[in-house]
Amino acid sequence: MTTPAGSGAGFGSVSWWGLSPALDLQAESPPMAPDSQANTEHGTPELDVLLLGSVDGRHLLRTLAQAALWSPRKFHFYVLENNLEAVARHMLFFSLALEDPEKMGLQERSEVFLEVWGNALLRPSVAAFVRAQAERLARLVPEPDRLAEQLPWLSLGSLKFRERDALEAVFRFWAGGEKGPETFPMSRLWDMRLRHYLGSRYDARRGVSDWDLHMKLHDRGARVIHTREFRRWRDTGVAFELRDSSAYQLPNRTLASGRLLSHRGERVAARGYWGDIATGPFVAFGIETDDESLLRTSNGQPVKTAGEITQHNVTELFRAMAAWGHPSAAPRDPDEVPGEINGVQEPASSPGSFTVHFLPLGSTQTLHHRSCYKGRFQLLYVACGMVHLLSPELGVCVAPGGRLIVELARYLVDVRQEQLQGFRDRVGELARAAGFAPQPGTGPSESFARFYKCEDSAPIDAAADSGILHAETRAPPPELLVPPPEATNSLSEDLAQPLQGQIPLSEPLQLPSESQASLEALAPPTGSQTPKPESLPGPSEIMTSSIS
């Protein structure tokens, strides 16, 4: 798929923010059984969720923020990403959300989150916060005991030792281990990506931006995104301008990722910006809200922008997260009436407990080999860039009656309407092959596809061994997320920054088979959020599987 001029690769190969609104995963999970209270060690029912490619933790944060509306539960979130930089961002965001309110106020935490999460450039004070947190996390990662003491909600026990080493190196880079703006010249990298993406339309980029916004994003339901904020993000990478524009000068190092590319027959490690330059971070928190007054229109135009709605939603989310970071631990008098202290209503206590478990990169096809994961998860979430990993082997890990939610490609501006329908159809095929059926009683949604695990689904092992389902279910997503061969142009030396051995190369830096040609490929393939492992089908097989 190409645009009239340019690459059509605006989605990028690494996702830094979600392309769908944040979900309350507890509302999406199967109803609790009446006797579930007695089935757990401490009398609190558990919810096990597996998330593939959630990238920014928005679903986890919203689920925890909404937990007070439900009965107390113990949450186990198993997060599987395709690059360690995304894991590091998860850790940074949760550390920020659970920061002591006495050290950092609610408004400051919300603003710092927005800038680190969605801006290519940071204010000096925010960059200093990132450096300080990165130094702290870099010290904690190699020391499990201190990590468990200071971040009890985090579990890195499943990661391989080399992944933990590489994760520490990511934090070291964020902390400024490599000095100087030339280490990661974000403004130049952003402009080079934009030039390649637009091609001959670069000089008319404002018109292209307005077309993508009004004719695509607005038509698909994101009408609150304002022209001014969308143009600014397309031009500079700054989505949320909470202060004067001159304050945003320092590169956001959390958006850097590494790649292994082939240059003149040799593999070369390069660091650059390989993320989204087409849609923006406005969709995750900025187009839906519980406060309907923010969605009002006047003379047919929204009165609030996506940036304002995002700031409101994140502020309310962090306000609710305070119950998790600092639950009341005061001893209770046995004669006290629950919920009251001396006749005065008591603040809500912690709505349960939660743990975020990070799984090894590329482990989707091996989870079913471990008995502890078979039939464990009540809910499976799959991002649109990870759909090719939905397989019968993965379906084995979902409990009978469990739910599957797949993010659709609704807000990818490079995707035409007929391709959106083709993607939805392909998602249905993969879900059925994995043992799921469309979930009854759910209204139509253009952002998510919902399924449930069939109670009588046949064991997968025999089918997988026979090879009947293997090729069909392991095929990557349709061609709408796969760049054509002609989409690669020559690489400017400014685009990628060479790594000089200061950061250990991690799993996501494997060279995709379809980009073996040369370092002249400007950006990695956009078939998913990461390069596909070499064991997956090549481009010709992708096209064949999509047509079938």
Side-chain angles (χ1 to χ4, degrees):
M1 173 193 54
T2 59
T3 53
S7 67
F11 180 49
S13 64
V14 179
S15 181
W16 298 123
W17 41 75
L19 295 175
S20 58
L23 293 174
D24 179 0
L25 300 178
Q26 196 163 187
E28 301 289 344
S29 62
M32 278 195 299
D35 59 346
S36 60
Q37 291 280 353
N39 294 335
T40 57
E41 180 181 352
H42 301 289
T44 302
E46 298 185 357
L47 177 62
D48 295 303
V49 182
L50 175 61
L51 301 102
L52 271 61
S54 62
V55 301
D56 54 8
R58 69 193 185 283
H59 301 311
L60 280 63
L61 292 171
R62 178 166 173 79
T63 300
L64 296 175
Q66 297 288 317
L69 304 177
W70 304 82
S71 300
R73 300 186 79 168
K74 185 175 183 179
F75 297 98
H76 291 281
F77 300 112
Y78 291 81
V79 178
L80 200 158
E81 299 293 348
N82 47 34
N83 62 84
L84 290 171
E85 292 85 358
V87 173
R89 276 169 63 92
H90 271 287
M91 295 172 60
L92 178 62
F93 294 152
F94 267 91
S95 298
L96 178 60
L98 300 173
E99 183 67 76
D100 188 343
E102 295 183 359
K103 296 181 179 179
M104 180 178 285
L106 178 62
Q107 180 178 349
E108 184 181 3
R109 277 185 290 144
S110 302
E111 292 180 349
V112 169
F113 173 85
L114 290 179
E115 294 189 22
V116 176
W117 171 62
N119 283 359
L121 300 174
L122 304 177
R123 290 179 287 137
S125 60
V126 177
F129 170 82
V130 172
R131 287 195 299 270
Q133 288 295 314
E135 289 176 356
R136 171 175 172 249
L137 293 172
R139 291 194 299 267
L140 292 178
V141 167
E143 299 187 26
D145 293 338
R146 289 186 59 197
L147 183 68
E149 177 185 351
Q150 298 189 29
L151 303 177
W153 50 266
L154 174 67
S155 174
L156 300 179
S158 297
L159 294 182
K160 302 173 183 177
F161 287 110
R162 62 176 177 176
E163 290 174 335
R164 295 186 209 178
D165 292 341
L167 184 62
E168 179 187 356
V170 171
F171 287 125
R172 296 292 181 194
F173 171 70
W174 291 3
E178 300 173 37
K179 304 294 183 181
E182 68 280 356
T183 303
F184 185 59
M186 186 63 185
S187 296
R188 191 170 65 197
L189 295 172
W190 184 275
D191 186 67
M192 292 303 300
R193 280 289 313 279
L194 199 61
R195 287 177 181 272
H196 176 71
Y197 172 58
L198 296 177
S200 60
R201 300 182 301 162
Y202 177 81
D203 291 335
R205 56 189 178 278
R206 287 208 163 186
V208 175
S209 172
D210 291 347
W211 175 271
D212 287 344
L213 177 62
H214 292 281
M215 304 304 294
K216 297 179 181 179
L217 291 177
H218 282 185
D219 283 353
R220 297 176 188 179
R223 292 187 55 82
V224 294
I225 303 178
H226 196 275
T227 302
R228 184 174 60 253
E229 63 186 353
F230 191 71
R231 279 182 183 174
R232 182 184 64 235
W233 175 77
R234 274 280 185 96
D235 288 343
T236 66
V238 176
F240 307 106
E241 195 172 86
L242 308 176
R243 299 290 187 275
D244 186 81
S245 59
S246 61
Y248 296 91
Q249 299 176 349
L250 300 180
N252 184 355
R253 291 193 174 204
T254 71
L255 298 180
S257 59
R259 304 288 303 182
L260 269 185
L261 302 177
S262 180
H263 179 50
R264 297 175 182 174
E266 296 183 1
R267 289 195 171 189
V268 179
R271 180 188 294 115
Y273 177 76
W274 314 106
D276 171 35
I277 56 170
T279 300
F282 306 104
V283 174
F285 295 107
I287 64 174
E288 294 182 1
T289 179
D290 295 332
D291 186 351
E292 294 295 330
S293 66
L294 298 176
L295 301 178
R296 289 188 302 107
T297 60
S298 177
N299 297 324
Q301 297 297 319
V303 297
K304 297 293 184 181
T305 66
E308 292 170 329
I309 295 174
T310 297
Q311 186 172 7
H312 168 82
N313 286 342
V314 170
T315 301
E316 293 304 310
L317 185 149
F318 278 18
R319 191 193 310 276
M321 284 291 293
W324 292 97
H326 303 277
S328 175
R332 182 186 298 276
D333 188 326
D335 297 329
E336 274 187 41
V337 178
E340 292 187 1
I341 299 179
N342 298 326
V344 180
Q345 188 68 27
E346 179 185 8
S349 60
S350 176
S353 63
F354 76 96
T355 307
V356 181
H357 307 261
F358 290 105
L359 299 177
L361 307 179
S363 61
T364 51
Q365 301 301 327
T366 59
L367 289 179
H368 68 287
H369 292 311
R370 301 186 61 180
S371 58
C372 62
Y373 293 131
K374 285 188 177 181
R376 181 185 186 111
F377 303 105
Q378 293 101 329
L379 180 64
L380 169 63
Y381 172 86
V382 182
C384 64
M386 304 278 270
V387 170
H388 60 287
L389 299 176
L390 182 57
S391 66
E393 292 86 353
L394 192 60
V396 170
C397 300
V398 180
R403 303 292 169 81
L404 165 66
I405 302 176
V406 181
E407 180 185 55
L408 301 178
R410 179 183 186 183
Y411 295 106
L412 289 181
V413 299
D414 289 331
V415 179
R416 297 187 294 271
Q417 196 63 40
E418 60 272 18
Q419 293 174 313
L420 290 177
Q421 185 58 46
F423 185 77
R424 177 186 284 273
D425 294 342
R426 184 59 176 157
V427 166
E429 294 174 8
L430 293 173
R432 286 192 295 272
F436 295 89
Q439 184 177 332
T442 58
S445 172
E446 296 183 26
S447 300
F448 302 98
R450 293 175 169 87
F451 306 87
Y452 75 97
K453 182 70 177 295
C454 302
E455 299 280 351
D456 56 348
S457 58
I460 297 301
D461 295 338
D465 291 341
S466 66
I468 296 175
L469 297 176
H470 188 79
E472 180 179 346
T473 57
R474 287 198 179 183
E479 67 274 10
L480 65 91
L481 293 180
V482 179
E486 66 269 22
T488 57
N489 295 336
S490 61
L491 172 66
S492 166
E493 293 181 359
D494 293 334
L495 177 74
Q497 302 300 310
L499 300 180
Q500 300 177 354
Q502 294 153 340
I503 292 185
L505 296 178
S506 56
E507 293 261 332
L509 303 185
Q510 294 177 355
L511 183 68
S513 57
E514 62 266 37
S515 62
Q516 298 276 353
S518 68
L519 185 62
E520 276 72 42
L522 175 70
T526 56
S528 68
Q529 295 170 350
T530 58
K532 307 174 188 62
E534 295 179 358
S535 60
L536 290 179
S540 61
E541 295 170 285
I542 295 172
M543 300 298 292
T544 302
S545 64
S546 302
I547 295 174
S548 62

